[in-house]
Amino acid sequence: MRTQVAIIGGGPAGLLLSHLLHLQGIDSVVLESRDRGYVERRQRAGMLEQGTTDVLRESGAGERLDREGLVHHGLELRFGGAGHRIPLTDLTGRTVTVYAQTEIVKDLVARRLADGGDVRFETEAVGVDASAPSVAFRDRAGRTGTLECDYIAACDGFHGVGRPAVPGLRTFSREYPFAWLGILADVPPSTEELIYAGHERGFALHSLRSPQVSRLYLQVPPDEDIAAWPDARIWEELAARFATGDGWKLQEGPITDKSITPMRSFVAEPMRHDRLFLAGDAAHIVPPTGAKGLNLAVSDVIVLARALTERYATGSDTLLDAYSSTCLRRVWRAEHFSYWMTTLLHVDPAADDFALRLQRSHLDYVVSSEAAKTTLAENYTGLPIG
């Protein structure tokens, strides 16, 4: 087997890269270890930056996004029993959109298959050669083979085979002393815009998946047992952390899913070795507070698609050679923003009274300063790609 670009991973990054390359006449094969149903049901974040929605629309993959996506023009920071709106669009001219990652994957799978794309589910990449570029794989029947190519894009997540194939890799990481307990509930959202709540008992986030489904999160210890959180306790704790002095009420409903997610930051440098390129979670992880994970993966593959297009069109390696440094500038900015949002709103169990007073002072400054609100809004809606 041979193709121009071998793509490991059939999540949104790998599928979008394959789609963007197809639009430029560049062949690719996507190898995905899981079956199609699993990939299309895998729950992940769904807050899209302006740049992410723009590329989906411009590439012809945004029809259902435009029909079903929920556009947000602001968000609320809530603390001290009061809410403070950050008017994202007024400050930046940009928006964010709620559209579940599962739906993006469904849209991209449908587009690739309709366009005759080669997406191989239940086909696991088991080895990578970055110099004589090829990917060794094993299919659902246990048969092995080799996919030869010009370039390899490892969009295969934190535990994939791509990153270990990069020699001399330098990694940076931080573990946070808390985690998120997340729920999906069959209840209309209690708010039209996201609420990021800082409370003495811990952080809480009110998000949504659709006009009928709410997505909510609670800060919990990293070793928390989910069995310790029956539905009634979850709703009681959420109500306490979102409580305001104006009588705002949290709507409750049946909880359909519960999970606990650890919080960490991770970056691997460089994001390229020879003809192997890392993208998305293969190269970086961010805490979910800033809603950057999916958007960073999308920006990586946009940069890579542009570079590969230039290479095949002109023979120039200029953009390919700059891939890692170009992506890492945006990665580190997003890492800092996610860290900043996380430490601004969560309660560190080791914090003393002095640290807690500094945190409250910082929150007061953010919601009272036009410059600080603009900084938050610029980073939240997404900085330029590339």
Side-chain angles (χ1 to χ4, degrees):
M1 285 174 46
R2 179 167 182 83
T3 190
Q4 289 175 293
V5 182
I7 300 173
I8 309 172
L15 292 167
L16 179 59
L17 177 59
S18 181
H19 176 55
L20 295 176
L21 294 176
H22 166 73
L23 296 178
Q24 300 300 323
I26 300 170
D27 292 330
S28 67
V29 174
V30 178
L31 306 177
E32 167 55 48
S33 62
R34 301 284 192 164
D35 63 68
R36 179 178 177 179
Y38 178 91
V39 172
E40 292 184 342
R41 291 191 302 269
R42 185 165 45 194
Q43 292 290 339
R44 293 291 188 273
M47 180 61 72
L48 309 184
E49 294 176 355
Q50 181 79 60
T52 298
T53 57
D54 286 347
V55 74
L56 290 170
R57 292 188 182 105
E58 291 164 4
S59 68
E63 180 180 351
R64 201 156 65 92
L65 165 68
D66 283 335
R67 189 169 65 248
E68 300 178 14
L70 304 174
V71 178
H72 286 199
H73 299 279
L75 61 82
E76 180 181 321
L77 295 183
R78 185 175 291 188
F79 59 95
H84 308 267
R85 186 172 185 268
I86 308 297
L88 302 173
T89 305
D90 290 348
L91 293 167
T92 67
R94 301 193 296 272
T95 63
V96 292
T97 301
V98 173
Y99 189 64
Q101 178 173 313
T102 51
E103 306 311 306
I104 296 173
V105 169
K106 290 175 186 176
D107 295 344
L108 289 170
V109 168
R111 279 303 307 262
R112 292 306 299 122
L113 297 182
D115 292 337
D118 194 343
V119 181
R120 304 194 175 204
F121 295 103
E122 297 181 81
T123 303
E124 181 184 8
V126 295
V128 171
D129 186 333
S131 301
S134 62
V135 180
F137 65 86
R138 181 172 53 244
D139 69 15
R140 72 190 73 182
R143 296 176 298 232
T144 58
T146 301
L147 175 60
E148 297 179 351
C149 53
D150 300 329
Y151 301 97
I152 303 166
C155 308
D156 53 345
F158 186 79
H159 299 290
V161 299
R163 190 175 66 255
V166 179
L169 201 65
R170 188 178 183 191
T171 61
F172 308 82
S173 63
R174 168 162 295 185
E175 301 290 332
Y176 294 86
F178 33 74
W180 276 11
L181 189 163
I183 66 166
L184 279 172
D186 285 338
V187 59
S190 304
T191 176
E192 295 182 354
E193 296 178 340
L194 270 66
I195 301 173
Y196 286 79
H199 190 273
E200 62 185 12
R201 292 159 68 158
F203 169 78
L205 171 62
H206 190 310
S207 182
L208 61 153
R209 280 293 175 264
S210 74
Q212 295 79 38
V213 178
S214 295
R215 182 70 157 155
L216 301 106
Y217 298 92
L218 285 168
Q219 175 187 342
V220 296
D223 58 352
E224 189 68 292
D225 182 359
I226 200 166
W229 288 87
D231 293 5
R233 183 187 178 193
I234 291 173
W235 288 118
E236 179 182 357
E237 190 63 25
L238 285 167
R241 297 189 193 185
F242 286 123
T244 61
D246 60 6
W248 183 89
K249 183 174 177 57
L250 176 67
Q251 302 300 316
E252 300 181 9
I255 295 176
T256 60
D257 183 73
K258 299 179 190 178
S259 62
I260 291 182
T261 303
M263 306 279 282
R264 63 181 171 182
S265 300
F266 174 86
V267 180
E269 296 184 2
M271 291 173 59
R272 177 195 181 177
H273 169 59
D274 210 339
R275 298 198 173 201
L276 168 66
F277 299 83
L278 308 180
D281 287 359
H284 41 75
I285 301 285
V286 290
T289 324
K292 294 298 160 202
L294 170 61
N295 295 291
L296 273 183
V298 168
S299 66
D300 288 346
V301 299
I302 291 172
V303 173
L304 184 54
R306 290 172 181 168
L308 289 168
T309 298
E310 180 190 66
R311 176 64 179 83
Y312 283 112
T314 70
S316 172
D317 286 327
T318 301
L319 293 183
L320 284 176
D321 290 341
Y323 170 76
S324 182
S325 59
T326 300
C327 290
L328 285 169
R329 281 195 298 272
R330 200 171 197 272
V331 166
W332 279 111
R333 177 85 296 277
E335 289 284 354
H336 180 264
F337 177 68
S338 300
Y339 161 84
W340 179 78
M341 284 282 284
T342 301
T343 55
L344 180 68
L345 293 160
H346 290 70
V347 176
D348 186 334
D352 57 16
D353 288 344
F354 184 80
L356 294 174
R357 289 297 183 99
L358 289 178
Q359 184 183 47
R360 177 57 185 269
S361 174
H362 196 174
L363 278 166
D364 286 335
Y365 171 68
V366 168
V367 300
S368 61
S369 163
E370 199 74 5
K373 286 188 284 188
T374 300
T375 293
L376 191 159
E378 285 181 345
N379 285 271
Y380 195 83
T381 58
L383 298 174
I385 297 172

